[in-house]
Amino acid sequence: MNRYQDNEDIKEKLENLSLPHVEMPAHKEQLKKMLFAYSVHTRNKRRCYLEAPEKIAEVIRLKKKALIFIIPSLLILLTVLCVHLFSPPSQAMAGLTLQVNPLVSMVLDDDNTVIEIMGQNEEGIEIVSISDLEGKKLNEVLEEITSIMFEQGYLLPDSTVAMTVHGLDNPDMEKLSAISDLAKETVQENLTRLNISAQVESFVLSEELYAFLDELGLTPADYVELLKANLTEDEIKEVIKSLEQTENEAEALPYLKFKLKIKSDEHELFAEFKQKQFGDLAKVMIKQQGQKHIQLKDTGALEYLLPILEKLELNTSMSKEQIVERVVELFGWEGPYEEFKIEVKFADKSSIDFKCKAKKEDAERERERERERETALPYREFELEIESDLRKLSVDFEQENDGIYARVKIKQDGQKPAQLKDSAALEYLLPILEKLELNASMDKQQVVDRVVAAFGWNEPYEELEIKVKFANRSSLDFKWKNLDMDEVDDDDDDD
Amino acid sequence: MNQELEQERRLIELAKTDHRAFGHLFEKYYDQIFNYILRRTGNLEDARDIAADTFFKALRNIHRFKWRQVPFSAWLYKICMNETASYFRKNSRRSVSLEFLQSQGFNPDSKYNLEEEVIAAQDALQKHEEWLICCRAISKLPKKYEDVITLRYFAGKKIGEIAFIVGKPEGTVKSLLHRGLRKLKKMILKENNSATFFK
């Protein structure tokens, strides 16, 4: 008989179950595109929120717009001044963006000289600050930038270098194509020299298209990706519109502040969450008697709290009982509590703030019930030793008011002894003890037969020793030798 | 840290700012997550919606991910657990599903045919009769048992990883498994012919 017989057949069934495995390439592809479109759309928002102060992001956005509006005007003014000073003119003719993860944009004159270069994200700002690139020819700049990106670890074998060229001030499309080709060739050559197999893409964008992307908050290089993903302009607009709608519904957590404390004799849970403009604050503390306290802060605490808060769905029209029930369920609080305190401030300025104490006797009664549930087994103590030539099994089980102690040892000839403790031992023992159904009035043969069968001891045994104290204070205690069936000890007592 | 985990850690860091890196993670885990949800729910439409919700949530929260030497998949499963529960609970809140977006006009060109794919998948599911019996019975169990049993037997997760995913100690997971299996067995025996099912 197997020791886990209670669940063995269902376990075996599940382990050997023929499970379906389906492949959904169409769903996968669509979902990936949708995630991509969403990601591209929210990138700027997220970056502002998480990584850079709002103002920096605003400056970056302004700088981007300056590419289209301010720089050409300034350059025209500069050109006029230069003409007056008999210097050669430098006219902004095209804009070029290059994106790996770092995003860099540059303005070129009609001689392919880079007259302005700037990073458009944190990594891009870092890249352009490493070397003085303005005034150099496009091919030199691209070579330097890709080398820096490689050194900084941004260029990996599976990276894509996405470039776009767009016109400024009614440029010649042929010239823009030539710039795009030159850029692609230069980067490709440099990557080959660096022994990197990254992909290089370069596209020419019309001024209208550039303006459209800017309006959507997309970088031109993002558009390369969207084109590669076969998304049309209309599709991009549709998906972004829909996602904005669903995201607003799904993302808006209605709690500006959430503070909770639940306490019992053995456990304590404290959770605090505050929604701030530039990031959420969170703190969680879980104390459990006899165990190390768990304290979570910031990201860790948010990871724990957000899924719960998202599901909590509290509102001020709920009764205290409903709130307590919902909170206790979602925070996984098991058993009674002595103190429950909650403070919630909603985005609409309404609030919940109350404290309740469970009546001492209620808590005590609940604990008693818990204990009864735990001690449903009729054994207060169960000790067993079965021994054969090759094997020895020792079992030690004890139920006290403050918990259950369990240990199982198996010694097998020529093998390292195996020992199970606490929950592992319980997992092994509980199913066996539950079905053992011993009582003090049974005769020894009956007891031995049941024990041997329940513990799946199939081979002949030399000696069996058992001590059982039942919950009703009766007991069993004897040693049994199997070889000649002689009893060596007979102090079985039925109280 | 082994090389694979280190690569994954680096990819996750990149994915916090680079959607293409997230795309790699998506490619790596889509099949696993989708099939787990499918095995758990037994319903193709639900699985598609919950998988979409799971990856959206992961994308939205990737910046909050903190590396703790556990595979990224464990974090995804954690999200998946919440999204599954939330999906079946919420009636008013709309899921960010492909169906919804398609109804809004999002239908990008693809070399694959979604309808044919769904029909083929439905056919494939019907061939696993015993799984369907178990799946239906498991879905009637309280969620705590459903979580651990499906993670153990439908996703092949070890106790330690299940404990991380469901946020409970390993001992509790073992005990939940034990009690859950017992309940499951009773339920199956009640509703099916045990002689043939457990032969």
Side-chain angles (χ1 to χ4, degrees), chain A residues 288 291 334 423-424 427, chain B residues 144-145 148 159 162-163 166-180:
Chain A
Q288 199 155 353
Q291 286 187 26
E334 286 175 1
S423 54
E427 198 202 9
Chain B
K144 57 186 178 182
Y145 300 125
V148 295
I159 300 293
I162 299 174
V166 299
K168 292 186 194 301
E170 288 191 18
T172 309
V173 169
K174 283 179 190 169
S175 150
L176 285 172
L177 264 176
H178 176 73
R179 281 182 277 148

Side-chain angles (χ1 to χ4, degrees), chain A residues 149-160:
Chain A
M149 285 182 178
F150 173 67
E151 283 158 20
Q152 300 285 317
Y154 291 114
L155 269 172
L156 300 167
D158 56 353
S159 300
T160 300

Side-chain angles (χ1 to χ4, degrees), chain A residues 5-7 9-11 13-15 17-36 38-40 43 46-47 50-51 99-101 123 153 156 158 160 162 222 225 230-231 235 238-239 242-243 245-247 249-251 280 299-300 302-303 306-307 310-311 313 326 334 423-424 427 431 434, chain B residues 10 14 16-20 22-24 26-27 30-31 34-35 38-39 44 48 51-52 55-57 59-60 63-66 68 75 82 86 89 93-94 96 98 100-102 104-114 117-118 121 124-125 128 130-131 134 138 149 153-154 168 171 174 178 181-182 184-185 188 197-198:
Chain A
Q5 196 203 11
D6 202 26
N7 282 339
D9 40 9
I10 183 76
K11 271 187 188 176
K13 191 57 148 179
L14 289 170
E15 272 161 10
L17 209 54
S18 160
L19 295 169
H21 182 95
V22 301
E23 293 199 352
M24 304 284 285
H27 178 257
K28 186 176 178 180
E29 189 192 36
Q30 287 200 348
L31 181 55
K32 193 176 177 187
K33 284 177 182 178
M34 194 168 77
L35 288 166
F36 170 75
Y38 171 84
S39 165
V40 167
R43 182 186 313 154
R46 209 164 53 229
R47 187 176 295 125
L50 285 166
E51 294 167 7
Q99 184 172 19
V100 178
N101 178 31
E123 297 85 354
L156 300 167
D158 56 353
T160 300
D222 290 334
E225 293 271 331
N230 295 325
L231 287 166
E235 282 166 359
E238 280 301 335
V239 73
S242 310
L243 285 166
Q245 199 183 337
T246 46
E247 190 201 9
E249 283 174 16
E251 283 286 285
D280 304 334
T299 323
L302 282 171
E303 248 178 58
L306 286 180
E310 277 169 12
K311 288 188 280 187
E313 292 170 4
R326 189 109 189 92
E334 286 175 1
S423 54
E427 198 202 9
E434 274 170 9
Chain B
R10 190 171 159 71
L14 273 176
K16 290 180 179 177
T17 52
D18 184 352
H19 56 271
R20 279 163 292 197
F22 187 85
H24 289 302
F26 172 81
E27 284 287 341
Y30 170 84
D31 274 353
F34 178 84
N35 275 287
L38 180 63
R39 288 167 186 175
L44 210 55
R48 291 197 307 173
F55 282 103
F56 260 95
K57 192 53 106 23
L59 177 63
R60 280 201 292 261
H63 59 275
R64 292 192 174 121
F65 181 85
K66 206 172 170 187
R68 289 198 193 93
W75 187 67
N82 292 330
S86 159
R89 199 183 58 249
R93 286 173 69 189
R94 191 165 45 210
V96 188
L98 273 172
F100 168 68
L101 287 167
Q102 278 159 353
Q104 300 291 306
F106 177 71
N107 201 6
D109 291 338
S110 172
K111 61 182 172 186
Y112 304 107
N113 185 319
L114 194 58
E117 175 178 287
V118 170
L125 295 188
H128 300 266
E130 289 194 329
W131 158 75
C134 292
I138 291 170
I149 292 175
Y153 296 102
F154 291 173
K168 292 186 194 301
K174 283 179 190 169
H178 176 73
L181 287 175
R182 202 165 48 187
L184 177 65
K185 185 178 162 182
I188 291 176
F197 193 79
F198 289 113

Side-chain angles (χ1 to χ4, degrees), chain A residues 58 391 403 411 427 468:
Chain A
E58 189 54 36
R391 213 152 55 108
K411 281 184 189 169
E427 198 202 9
V468 183

